[in-house]
Amino acid sequence: MRTEGTVDDAVRRAVELAASGERVVLGIAGAPGAGKSTLARRVVVAVDEHLGSGTAVQVPMDGFHLSNAALDRLGRHDRKGAIDTFDADGYVALVRRLVRADEPVVWAPDFDRRVDEPVAGSIAVPQAARLVVSEGNYLLDDSAPWDALEDLFTETWFCAVDDGVRVDRLVGRHMRHGRDHEAARTWAVEVDGVNAARVAATVSRASRTVRT
């Protein structure tokens, strides 16, 4: 049965999971602009405050964006963020390594919004880390290879937010990264909106819904 609650409820649950002493890999899914990264950061900070610095690490799915050059070659740059614009197999392989926790350190990629590109080998996940929090749009998708994630994550949470708030957040984000207001809203509605519809259909697969 899926649990529904607030951000504070989710943070308390994350601390409980991390306190188990075993490696826990938590997936946070949701539409673009739903607050996934913000929730993931809050979870990591809270867990480290309660259980000690370095207990939790954030590893975003966005590190597996295909490069802009690759998207240009594929003719998909104008739909960046769609499910086929990620290295899905690479991401699933990383999650498997994070779950096994049998390496001294796993290096994960990050995504640099300033240059709009993934950056390899940016995030160190030491074997001693108890909680790894990974957030992304498609963690609950039932198409291959994404569907393998259901059996890998300890829990998967879905960020739920009013669509108007979500779109406003996206417009602001796109404007901060160089688009004018009209272009930002067009991208938020026409590109992000298509992706959001796909993500919304996956909420039933989550173990917890978090109001963000």
Side-chain angles (χ1 to χ4, degrees), residues 83-84 86-93 95-96 138-153 198 205:
I83 196 167
D84 64 323
F86 291 87
D87 174 15
D89 287 300
Y91 176 68
V92 172
V95 174
R96 285 198 174 99
Y138 305 113
L139 307 192
L140 294 165
D141 203 86
D142 61 1
S143 64
W146 302 96
D147 57 348
L149 295 169
E150 183 175 15
D151 294 328
L152 296 174
F153 288 125
R198 179 169 186 146
R205 294 165 62 88

Side-chain angles (χ1 to χ4, degrees), residues 13-113:
R13 175 58 179 162
V15 173
E16 291 175 3
L17 289 170
S20 70
E22 302 295 327
R23 168 60 64 83
V24 172
V25 183
L26 170 65
I28 299 179
K36 302 180 295 296
S37 297
T38 300
L39 177 59
R41 285 192 295 270
R42 182 163 173 182
V43 162
V44 168
V45 168
V47 168
D48 280 2
E49 285 178 348
H50 281 82
L51 301 174
S53 179
T55 302
V57 182
Q58 181 178 355
V59 177
M61 187 200 83
D62 277 358
F64 288 86
H65 268 289
L66 298 181
S67 71
N68 290 328
L71 293 175
D72 286 339
R73 289 194 298 272
L74 294 169
R76 293 293 286 163
H77 201 159
D78 63 345
R79 286 298 180 265
K80 186 171 184 173
I83 196 167
D84 64 323
T85 64
F86 291 87
D87 174 15
D89 287 300
Y91 176 68
V92 172
L94 174 71
V95 174
R96 285 198 174 99
R97 292 173 67 195
L98 295 173
V99 170
R100 287 199 308 266
D102 58 1
E103 302 170 63
V105 62
V106 173
W107 286 96
D110 201 354
F111 187 78
D112 189 338
R113 292 192 182 277

